[in-house]
Amino acid sequence: MTVRSRTVEWQDPGDSAKAAATMAGIDFLREIAAGRLPGPPLAALLGFTLDEVEEGRAVFAIEPGEEHYNPIGSVHGGVYATLLDSAAGCAVHSTLPQGTAYTSLDLSTRFLRPVTKETGKIRAIGTVLSRGRRTALAEAGLYDAQDRLLAHATSTCMLFPVPQ
């Protein structure tokens, strides 16, 4: 049996959390995408990045590897769900004014194609479908380099004032 290992480093997530409370969502996400604020530890653990952000839209990317596999040799559905949840949630976050936060209320996911390390880089593209004062609805698609849809999700997010 061949053993593989991986080392993961991340920055204190408290730094970004403090900054989030002082900025509009789009500005906060742009700072993370530009590397001026640390990304979440989960992104370092899984190896994904926030590549694009504009109001109502967020794009994450990952290069799948063996470390993402389930026991049957393909990327685990939890990795798909994490990328889709991140893209949908950050699309919503990009529309929020300073002092407003969100949390996912639900995530409905559909897995359409298998992903392996041979798939190459994949992107999760999230967009806001509707945003009100208390909730927002977003969707996200997971795509390969040929723009084939690999998975799809919808998410409802609850909006609330940032706790003091």
Side-chain angles (χ1 to χ4, degrees):
M1 183 182 317
T2 303
V3 176
R4 292 161 172 82
S5 67
R6 195 173 129 173
T7 301
V8 179
E9 294 180 356
W10 64 91
Q11 293 175 284
D12 181 354
D15 296 341
S16 291
K18 288 176 194 166
T22 68
M23 308 169 81
I26 187 76
D27 297 329
F28 173 71
L29 293 169
R30 285 179 176 156
E31 291 296 299
I32 290 174
R36 292 185 290 267
L37 281 174
L42 182 63
L45 180 65
L46 291 180
F48 67 89
T49 56
L50 174 59
D51 285 3
E52 299 174 37
V53 64
E54 59 189 65
E55 188 159 333
R57 184 174 183 270
V59 180
F60 286 85
I62 191 171
E63 186 85 29
E66 289 179 343
E67 67 274 16
H68 302 117
Y69 278 14
N70 58 30
I72 60 171
S74 62
V75 172
H76 190 280
V79 176
Y80 286 64
T82 298
L83 289 165
L84 293 165
D85 184 54
S86 297
C90 285
V92 169
H93 194 171
S94 74
T95 69
L96 300 181
Q98 179 181 339
T100 303
Y102 80 95
T103 190
S104 299
L105 290 173
D106 66 27
L107 182 71
S108 178
T109 317
R110 301 290 181 267
F111 305 111
L112 305 173
R113 294 175 183 264
V115 174
T116 66
K117 64 183 183 177
E118 285 76 26
T119 303
K121 185 177 180 178
I122 57 177
R123 297 169 298 121
I125 302 172
T127 55
V128 173
L129 299 173
S130 174
R131 198 199 96 194
R133 289 183 306 115
R134 296 184 182 175
T135 62
L137 176 66
E139 69 176 350
L142 190 64
Y143 299 90
D144 66 10
Q146 290 75 42
D147 283 329
R148 289 181 295 200
L149 185 63
L150 308 169
H152 181 266
T154 56
S155 177
T156 306
C157 295
M158 178 175 62
L159 312 180
F160 55 92
V162 172
Q164 296 303 322

